[in-house]
Amino acid sequence: MEEEEAMKKHVKMLQLAGVESLLSNGGKEVSLSSIEEKMTCLFFSAHWCRPCRNFTPKLIQIYTMLRNTGKNIEIIFISLDHDEASFLDHFKSMPWLALPFNTSLRQKLCSHFGIEHIPALIPLSVTSSGGLGFQDDVVELVEEYGADAYPFSANRKGELEALDDARRQGGKLQELLGCKDRDFVISTDGIKISIADLTGKTVGLYFGAHWCPPCRSFTKKLIEVYNELKILRPGNFEVIFISIDRSKEEFQASLSAMPWLAIPYSDTARQELTRIFAVKGIPTLLILGMDGKVLKTDGRTAISAYGATAFPFTESRVSEVDEALRKEGDKLPHQVNDPRHSHELELDMAKAYVCDECLQEGRHWVFSCKQCNFDLHPSCVEESN
């Protein structure tokens, strides 16, 4: 009963703001009473706005899903288009209602609801004291959680964040990497590998994409370390690719160059993991310890700086490797003169280089010429001296 009364107050709120009627997608006038018993959201959008055009199809999918599962929801489109023709062109794809095109009324509504950017999705609500009110913009909440965000309340947001935290901290790989209908990840050739087979391993969650040049560069380095650990620590390390690619074709291009496993591209777990671990940029490599819980170590930095020697990539192990390298550097001279080069060589640290004496790859400490592209392994300098 209280919920029904709250929904009726939505009509009063809109009437007080100056709204007299609504439009259906077919252009017919609809009475405000049609939303009396529905959970109502105001959708501020415009056809000229690219983020609006990107968000609208997602909102249509969510709205349709909610209506098909019996949710009593309605959305009212409030156009910020420049003219009525643009409004109608934008509205024709929407399955919900709209405010008739009225620039003065929309300005009043934007001011009343504090709209500073679009798209904006504002759920109407009733305050704890029974007064008329509204909630903050929930576009980001809907983007992150989809239909699960319904009814778009602060309480629901708290529940969803608690569920994410439980998955992140729980140490249960099936709950983290799988779903109700999938208990496997896939290999490069499409073979299904049980998530249970990952138990007890150190697992890297690799967020990347084929369109991202830094990802392609880091992938090469990660492949080197992965293959090295397959020999040094067989069965102890696995990588799971979580694609940020824009299409299945890009995903396949990414995976074809990788020797490890992946979450299927069609699976929503990719987006969920990106949200759960708050991944803001790529490439990102998160490390799960043998207990299935995420380590504090920055996997990308550890791999790039120390390679396989930092395995199992815990904070303590990375600190040990870093300290060992520091002590190794303390034993080396800061400058040397070598008969193979005319300039003084200075001690430096490099992620990777090729020694100009033995032509072998090197990492970490190197004697380099600051004027020329000339590098020597510390061991080659010692042999020469």
Side-chain angles (χ1 to χ4, degrees), residues 96-335:
W96 44 71
L97 303 176
L99 182 75
F101 189 75
N102 185 322
T103 55
S104 60
L105 182 54
R106 81 182 183 197
Q107 289 173 357
K108 184 178 179 181
L109 290 170
C110 285
S111 176
H112 181 77
F113 291 102
I115 304 303
E116 297 181 350
H117 58 81
I118 55 175
L121 186 66
I122 308 295
L124 302 182
S125 63
V126 176
T127 64
S128 57
S129 61
L132 302 178
F134 57 92
Q135 299 175 44
D136 293 334
D137 179 18
V138 295
V139 165
E140 185 176 350
L141 181 68
V142 171
E143 287 267 27
E144 291 183 341
Y145 292 98
D148 288 338
Y150 181 85
F152 317 124
S153 63
N155 286 342
R156 182 55 180 162
K157 181 179 180 182
E159 292 172 357
L160 292 169
E161 289 175 346
L163 290 171
D164 280 353
D165 189 60
R167 288 178 66 183
R168 182 172 56 250
Q169 303 294 340
K172 298 178 180 178
L173 293 179
Q174 174 56 41
E175 292 182 7
L176 187 63
L177 304 178
C179 60
K180 182 176 65 174
D181 301 319
R182 179 182 55 79
D183 61 357
F184 59 86
V185 287
I186 58 173
S187 64
T188 303
D189 49 7
I191 296 174
K192 298 177 180 179
I193 307 298
S194 172
I195 293 174
D197 292 347
L198 303 174
T199 302
K201 295 183 179 183
T202 297
V203 176
L205 302 183
Y206 179 29
F207 298 81
H210 189 262
W211 52 261
C212 169
C215 292
R216 295 198 296 271
S217 177
F218 179 67
T219 296
K220 294 177 183 178
K221 181 61 184 175
L222 186 56
I223 288 173
E224 291 178 14
V225 173
Y226 181 83
N227 289 334
E228 189 175 346
L229 287 174
K230 281 185 71 175
I231 297 171
L232 298 176
R233 301 292 184 93
N236 287 346
F237 181 57
E238 191 52 78
V239 174
I240 308 296
F241 177 50
I242 296 113
S243 170
I244 314 295
D245 288 300
R246 295 167 295 196
S247 67
K248 190 170 183 180
E249 289 71 27
E250 284 189 353
F251 166 71
Q252 293 293 353
S254 293
L255 190 59
S256 65
M258 299 174 177
W260 44 71
L261 309 175
I263 300 288
Y265 185 77
S266 59
D267 203 301
T268 58
R270 295 187 304 110
Q271 292 83 7
E272 292 170 2
L273 288 166
T274 302
R275 180 191 70 235
I276 288 170
F277 291 108
V279 176
K280 302 301 182 184
I282 54 175
T284 290
L285 181 68
L286 300 176
I287 305 295
L288 303 181
M290 291 186 291
D291 60 357
K293 296 181 180 181
V294 66
L295 303 178
K296 294 181 180 179
T297 313
D298 181 339
R300 178 185 176 186
T301 299
I303 291 286
S304 298
Y306 308 116
T309 58
F311 183 83
F313 311 116
T314 59
E315 282 187 296
S316 59
R317 177 55 185 163
V318 170
S319 295
E320 287 175 7
V321 174
D322 187 65
E323 179 64 14
L325 283 171
R326 188 190 64 78
K327 289 181 178 179
E328 180 183 322
D330 288 344
K331 297 177 182 178
L332 298 170
H334 287 190
Q335 295 93 19

Side-chain angles (χ1 to χ4, degrees), residues 40-43 59 63 73-77 96-98 121:
T40 303
C41 297
L42 305 182
F43 180 41
L59 187 59
Y63 174 84
I73 182 175
E74 191 53 82
I75 294 176
I76 300 173
F77 168 44
W96 44 71
L97 303 176
L121 186 66

